[in-house]
Amino acid sequence: MKFVTQDALRVWLDQLAQEVDLVAPRDVEGHVLYRPVASSAGVLFEYQRPEMSAKDYLFPATEVLLQIEQRGKEMTLEEIVPERKQVLFGLRPCDAHGAAVIDALFLQQEPVDAAYRRQRERTTMVGLACPRMWEGCFCTSVGGAPDAADHLDLLLREVDGGYAVQVVTEKGAALLAGLELQEKKGEPPPSQADGEIVPVAPPQAWRTLFEDEMWQRHGERCLSCRICTYVCPACRCFDVVDRVTSVQPGLTCSERIRVWDACTSTNYRRAAGGHNSRPTKPGRIRNRFFCKFCYYPEDFGPLGCVGCGRCIVSCPVDIDITEVMRGVAERSDG
Amino acid sequence: MSGNGSNPMRPFIGRLAGIRDVATGIRLFQVEMAETEGQAAAAGYRPGQFAFLSAFGAGEAPFGLASGRGPYLEFAVSALGHVTHTLHGLEVGDPVGVRGPLGNWFPMEEIKGRNVVILGGGIGGAPLRPVIHTILDNRDDYGHLTILWAARSPDLLVFTDEFDEWRAAPDTEFHVTVDRGDENWSGNVGLITQLLEQVAPQIDNTVTITCGPPIMIHFAFLTQQKLGFTPQQMLTTLEARMHCGIGKCGRCNMGEKFVCIDGPVFWQYEIKEFLEGFL
Amino acid sequence: MNDIGQKIRETARQLLQEGQVDCVIGYEASPRGGVRPAFIYDAGEAERLVWSTRAVHNLATYLHDKKKPARRGEAPPRVAVVVKPCDSRTINVLLAEGQIERERTTVIGVTCDGMVDESGAPLPRCVHCAERTPVVYDVLIGSPPDVDVAADDDADLAHVEALPPTERLAFWLHEFDRCIRCYACRQVCPGCYCTTCMFERDDGLWVDAGVEMPGKYIFHLGRALHLAGRCVGCDECERVCPMGLPLRLLNRRLAREVETLYGYRAGREETLAPLLFELGEEGSPI
């Protein structure tokens, strides 16, 4: 196996931070979050699952799509093209899996989402395997694993004295310049993939339960907040709005921004004129779960859930996606 | 394909070539595309498609295109929100943005030779105007045309300036009704569904095209079925709040279908298959 | 504790059996430990209800979902709701603001000796809480426990207030920077029930939709100000925040202001009118 010491890894990260936009897990007031870093100082190497996914760095919560200038009656529209390369370091495999889910819609369905493609192209994803599964994790139920290399460019696994490095893609290999690698005998031990296996019912089984009473039962507790969708590595709903940034005589500057949206929010389906075709909380959470396990796989291929468990641990009223999955599996069997 | 080359979220720049009121609070904007690519996109427009219209600085919103016979993309806009209010404040010559035309269209080729019943409710009549024009301009290609036009009140009837032409067209009957009349109104008063039952159009070899608010589409379908129309004879176009128009943003799904890319035009038998209703 | 649970189940069963209410909102055991909100429509389901020192949620917030009839043409449902003393003041606020009807609401008050978090530690608000009996109820379950209450020293608040203005601003900007604008604080709040929140207007009049500073800062300050004299201090906003923003600090600061200036404490009595309805011409209190 290829091996790197902790010290050599830090040297490499320090170098990367000079050359690219480097993002890594950090402790932010007691919360583990992926954050831009200027060096290896403050980068966490031992952590559980960052509370937010790394989605924000590929599909930002707020992204300027266009800069708009109006001079009199003349318009100029300029697209924002990020110049620098980006490295996401310390990704958990579920975060890369989440990116692959969004790829299936934003990149693999025509027309390609231009802003997302730019973010994706400039980014290299360096994973750090979870040594084991954490509270709420069920990645192994939905095609993932705590040490899965799929969808990453490089995967690091903690071993005695440092990390085993697995090169997954050419993009990953290209990043290795400056990383002092050694050859060592043996292979890194696999992670403890001992999480509960949650049954995943096929889309057709979900379809038979669209009118089931369980949506009422789970949905009634829902607060219509956006936590589950915002912490999710695979949720991709967005809104597009304009904001004026400056007004001078003869020159108005504005931006067209894309912001995260959430199908759980009250007015998600409110149309101009006030009609709301999904006015109830049970109807809205049903849509979220159906999107993940019925619509997304039917329309775009992959499941819309990577089993990271973030929505489970962060829901203030204990709406638990695995409880829903089990409920669907049980009911559709009967 | 919308947008500029590689980016479907970038609107084409256009210019307001004409603005006129087509009902109280509903304004028709004629847009001339300024960029070559935008002109090419606009030239591919087919009745039933929609497009996003931008008031730069306020945002963009989707509209079923109401284009007439001229060279312009035409949008009927009711001032209901921030974008539409801002649009209402624009003047001829002002720049706007257009993404589109997007979505599918009415199967005007497929329904050639058949009788057509058109039911338009309020501003829902807007995307039906190009359908009516297509039939009137190719009169021999289609059978009998029945137009049922409705609004909540007389001042909300759209395209009243074209009523005379529609009435006078060969092999065409035109009926209009309002939910509530006023002192100057001497025509029908009642719902479009009641009017449909009175008119009782021929069922055989006929296709209906309904557009209006969701509740109207719902009841119009029920009445049509009562009269004997089958789900294979009934077309509609659905509205939804959308943000991208290209199947990405998630806003407009009805179950696994997206109004923006699977529609907005649907046969009733397709809608019946949706897991989730539009109402 | 189990005794309280038993009495809640009996009460719920009786209310539903006798047709006095259509729904009982209480707590059920959560598969993840602790408890979670439960909605009981059938006397046979009342068995699900439990009581626990983890019953942190302020269930009064769900009364907003019950203001409208389930089906068009019907009357709105009659609802019984389980409340702790702090939650009970929410009932009074909602009554005063005309949000709920007293005759449609059955208040199942439960005496409280303080709630704990996952680790078993008492919640910050409970350490200093002297309210052991709900201020409004139709049924009272439990007897007021005799517990020592630590005097509220407001040390955390005092610490922030003692900072020089620039540092205080830096403190808040640093905290609000973590906000992801998930609106959980607003959604869980029984006092936040506007149909369209001023911070979510489609014209972006006050803040635009960006998940950025200073919009996040303005949102939180605006929200806190809108709850001055209305916030009962249930701390649900802080509990649900996924980013751990210290919203309790803001709320307490405003509550103290209102109490000092006007002697007003939100929801203290059933007949208390909203503070802002009662200001005299010179801004005089009640």
Side-chain angles (χ1 to χ4, degrees):
Chain A
M1 65 177 180
K2 291 188 171 64
F3 171 84
V4 62
T5 63
Q6 170 91 23
D7 286 346
L9 186 61
R10 283 186 180 275
V11 170
W12 182 61
L13 289 175
D14 286 335
Q15 181 194 320
L16 279 179
Q18 301 302 310
E19 297 163 359
V20 303
D21 292 337
L22 181 64
V23 173
R26 296 195 57 175
D27 182 313
V28 184
E29 303 293 335
H31 299 266
V32 178
L33 298 167
Y34 295 111
R35 284 284 192 262
V37 291
S39 74
S40 65
V43 172
L44 296 180
F45 295 93
E46 283 179 30
Y47 52 97
Q48 299 196 353
R49 167 192 52 210
E51 292 174 34
M52 300 285 290
S53 80
K55 175 171 79 175
D56 197 17
Y57 298 94
L58 297 172
F59 168 46
T62 310
E63 182 170 34
V64 179
L65 296 178
L66 292 171
Q67 271 176 342
I68 302 164
E69 279 188 14
Q70 181 165 3
R71 280 170 213 279
K73 307 234 178 218
E74 291 310 309
M75 302 298 313
T76 19
L77 305 181
E78 198 178 333
E79 293 174 51
I80 306 300
V81 180
E83 300 285 331
R84 282 164 69 89
K85 299 265 185 224
Q86 175 172 258
V87 171
L88 305 182
F89 174 81
L91 286 200
R92 292 312 196 188
C94 56
D95 285 314
H97 190 179
V101 173
I102 296 181
D103 290 351
L105 171 57
F106 281 12
L107 300 183
Q108 286 146 29
Q109 297 283 325
E110 287 291 332
V112 166
D113 187 292
Y116 182 76
R117 189 191 58 213
R118 285 185 200 121
Q119 293 287 359
R120 205 69 176 82
E121 282 174 353
R122 79 179 185 109
T123 300
T124 308
M125 302 200 291
V126 183
L128 180 52
C130 294
R132 61 181 189 83
M133 293 170 74
W134 316 109
E135 188 200 349
C137 289
F138 59 103
C139 58
T140 49
S141 306
V142 287
D147 50 4
D150 320 342
H151 319 300
L152 285 162
D153 297 302
L154 290 172
L155 174 65
L156 273 54
R157 286 174 229 224
E158 198 180 344
V159 291
D160 267 351
Y163 300 88
V165 179
Q166 181 183 345
V167 179
V168 188
T169 65
E170 283 178 23
K171 208 178 193 181
L175 200 68
L176 288 178
L179 180 62
E180 195 189 313
L181 283 176
Q182 308 167 16
E183 276 302 327
K184 264 203 173 183
K185 277 193 188 142
E187 288 304 315
S191 298
Q192 231 178 300
D194 54 354
E196 185 198 356
I197 294 294
V198 186
V200 181
Q204 200 47 45
W206 284 75
R207 287 179 164 273
T208 63
L209 295 171
F210 192 76
E211 301 293 349
D212 197 273
E213 60 80 33
M214 68 189 288
W215 310 118
Q216 177 69 22
R217 198 156 34 80
H218 290 296
E220 206 158 20
R221 286 201 304 284
C222 178
L223 298 169
S224 301
C225 79
R226 303 166 172 220
I227 294 177
C228 52
T229 63
Y230 283 11
V231 298
C232 179
C235 272
R236 61 67 173 76
C237 283
F238 63 82
D239 195 349
V240 177
V241 296
D242 283 10
R243 61 182 176 195
V244 175
T245 49
S246 76
V247 181
Q248 300 157 40
L251 173 64
T252 303
C253 298
S254 47
E255 291 176 334
R256 177 151 298 171
I257 58 171
R258 151 152 94 182
V259 293
W260 288 353
D261 205 344
C263 65
T264 49
S265 61
T266 316
N267 285 335
Y268 184 75
R269 281 308 282 272
R270 191 177 177 280
H275 179 68
N276 187 335
S277 66
R278 208 178 285 143
T280 68
K281 299 193 290 189
R284 290 192 292 269
I285 70 147
R286 175 177 61 189
N287 180 73
R288 179 160 191 274
F289 294 127
F290 267 73
C291 179
K292 301 209 164 294
F293 295 103
C294 181
Y295 310 151
Y296 211 90
E298 281 187 352
D299 289 343
F300 314 121
L303 291 175
C305 171
V306 298
C308 72
R310 289 183 174 95
C311 61
I312 302 174
V313 299
S314 57
C315 178
V317 290
D318 291 19
I319 293 174
D320 181 338
I321 196 168
T322 61
E323 191 183 350
V324 171
M325 291 164 71
R326 271 185 232 106
V328 168
E330 280 162 22
R331 278 152 204 259
S332 58
D333 281 351
Chain B
M1 173 67 66
S2 98
N4 190 347
S6 59
N7 188 353
M9 293 302 286
R10 182 206 186 273
F12 296 119
I13 295 169
R15 212 158 291 289
L16 290 177
I19 303 174
R20 67 186 165 95
D21 287 333
V22 289
T24 302
I26 302 176
R27 203 159 278 185
L28 188 77
F29 295 90
Q30 299 181 310
V31 180
E32 180 181 28
M33 303 312 298
E35 298 162 303
T36 323
E37 247 190 301
Q39 288 160 358
Y45 159 72
R46 301 168 86 159
Q49 288 191 292
F50 68 96
F52 285 80
L53 184 59
S54 286
F56 290 114
E60 60 176 9
F63 302 92
L65 285 161
S67 299
R69 294 176 172 106
Y72 307 120
L73 287 177
E74 297 184 53
F75 299 79
V77 178
S78 186
L80 292 169
H82 179 49
V83 173
T84 48
H85 271 114
T86 310
L87 285 168
H88 272 231
L90 298 182
E91 294 167 3
V92 169
D94 280 344
V96 290
V98 172
R99 285 200 300 120
L102 295 164
N104 68 357
W105 45 85
F106 292 112
M108 298 310 297
E109 285 297 316
E110 196 182 322
I111 65 173
K112 275 184 177 170
R114 302 176 74 174
N115 306 314
V116 181
V117 179
I118 283 174
L119 298 98
I123 197 167
L128 299 175
R129 176 186 183 226
V131 175
I132 295 170
H133 289 177
T134 303
I135 295 173
L136 296 188
D137 296 346
N138 303 277
R139 198 63 203 88
D140 294 342
D141 288 347
Y142 299 89
H144 187 71
L145 175 63
T146 308
I147 302 169
L148 306 182
W149 214 243
R152 288 203 308 276
S153 54
D155 64 317
L156 294 175
L157 288 165
V158 291
F159 302 113
T160 47
D161 55 335
E162 300 188 17
F163 285 4
D164 286 344
E165 183 207 334
W166 299 352
R167 265 195 200 98
D171 200 13
T172 299
E173 54 183 305
F174 177 71
H175 305 274
V176 60
T177 186
V178 294
D179 296 356
R180 282 177 311 279
D182 59 24
E183 60 275 20
N184 299 319
W185 182 255
S186 56
N188 286 311
V189 174
L191 299 174
I192 196 165
T193 46
Q194 296 166 319
L195 183 63
L196 178 64
E197 289 199 63
Q198 284 163 29
V199 172
Q202 184 188 317
I203 310 293
D204 274 358
N205 197 34
T206 301
V207 167
T208 69
I209 306 179
T210 307
C211 187
I215 190 81
M216 178 202 126
I217 297 175
H218 174 74
F219 283 106
F221 275 169
L222 289 179
T223 306
Q224 288 165 39
Q225 272 171 308
K226 194 170 117 188
L227 290 172
F229 288 103
T230 66
Q232 285 72 20
Q233 287 177 286
M234 302 189 278
L235 277 165
T236 189
T237 168
L238 296 178
E239 63 161 12
R241 179 169 178 175
M242 345 171 157
H243 293 313
C244 75
I246 52 174
K248 311 286 186 204
C249 80
R251 271 276 172 160
C252 69
N253 78 307
M254 312 250 168
E256 80 284 19
K257 298 288 183 193
F258 291 90
V259 171
C260 66
I261 52 173
D262 297 306
V265 173
F266 293 100
W267 291 97
Q268 207 258 336
Y269 68 83
E270 297 176 292
I271 290 176
K272 264 182 21 183
E273 297 295 313
F274 292 178
L275 268 184
E276 195 178 20
F278 63 85
L279 196 57
Chain C
M1 196 62 63
N2 291 332
D3 191 37
I4 290 178
Q6 187 54 35
K7 285 190 176 133
I8 290 173
R9 288 189 286 278
E10 282 164 17
T11 306
R13 199 177 300 121
Q14 188 183 353
L15 288 168
L16 288 163
Q17 245 158 17
E18 293 174 2
Q20 293 184 54
V21 301
D22 302 299
C23 175
V24 178
I25 307 176
Y27 300 92
E28 67 180 6
S30 169
R32 307 201 60 76
V35 299
R36 63 186 186 185
F39 299 76
I40 307 294
Y41 294 90
D42 185 282
E45 290 275 300
E47 280 309 309
R48 273 166 53 202
L49 294 173
V50 298
W51 182 248
S52 153
T53 48
R54 299 281 306 281
V56 291
H57 322 68
N58 180 353
L59 301 179
T61 201
Y62 290 108
L63 293 174
H64 293 297
D65 293 338
K66 300 292 180 189
K67 293 189 289 201
K68 281 188 189 156
R71 273 166 292 274
R72 199 178 298 189
E74 289 179 358
R78 293 156 307 158
V79 182
V81 59
V82 175
V83 297
K84 304 182 290 295
C86 46
D87 311 333
S88 73
R89 288 191 290 117
T90 303
I91 301 285
N92 283 344
V93 170
L94 297 184
L95 286 170
E97 295 180 358
Q99 291 302 307
I100 56 173
E101 295 173 62
R102 189 66 186 87
E103 54 278 12
R104 292 199 167 273
T105 313
T106 302
V107 183
I108 304 174
V110 180
T111 59
C112 178
D113 53 4
M115 293 288 135
V116 300
D117 65 16
E118 307 88 84
S119 68
L123 298 182
R125 74 169 185 275
C126 302
V127 175
H128 305 293
C129 174
E131 282 176 324
R132 299 299 172 185
T133 306
V135 293
V136 54
Y137 54 82
D138 297 294
V139 181
L140 181 66
I141 295 176
S143 45
D146 188 18
V147 282
D148 284 338
V149 176
D152 196 347
D153 54 9
D154 274 342
D156 50 351
L157 190 52
H159 169 73
V160 176
E161 287 186 297
L163 295 172
T166 50
E167 284 178 41
R168 203 158 67 226
L169 179 64
F171 166 81
W172 283 113
L173 292 177
H174 177 69
E175 293 293 331
F176 292 136
D177 187 49
R178 283 200 306 285
C179 172
I180 57 170
R181 260 181 111 171
C182 66
Y183 297 124
C185 51
R186 181 190 72 191
Q187 293 303 114
V188 80
C189 179
C192 269
Y193 51 77
C194 289
T195 320
T196 302
C197 175
M198 66 176 285
F199 298 109
E200 248 189 321
R201 289 167 58 117
D202 67 357
D203 61 2
L205 181 63
W206 302 103
V207 294
D208 66 57
V211 187
E212 293 168 321
M213 297 294 256
K216 300 193 283 193
Y217 178 55
I218 295 165
F219 165 69
H220 284 289
L221 291 190
R223 212 187 77 79
L225 284 165
H226 284 189
L227 287 155
R230 305 174 59 237
C231 168
V232 300
C234 69
D235 289 357
E236 280 286 86
C237 50
E238 185 167 305
R239 177 183 72 84
V240 303
C241 177
M243 290 293 118
L245 303 192
L247 301 173
R248 185 177 133 76
L249 278 179
L250 272 184
N251 295 338
R252 273 153 67 221
R253 177 70 180 78
L254 285 162
R256 194 181 70 193
E257 198 77 8
V258 167
E259 188 149 20
T260 310
L261 283 175
Y262 306 115
Y264 189 94
R265 189 158 143 73
R268 182 184 54 195
E269 295 156 26
E270 197 169 335
T271 51
L272 198 63
L275 174 68
L276 295 181
F277 288 18
E278 289 294 311
L279 288 179
E281 280 184 13
E282 290 130 43
S284 60
I286 320 302

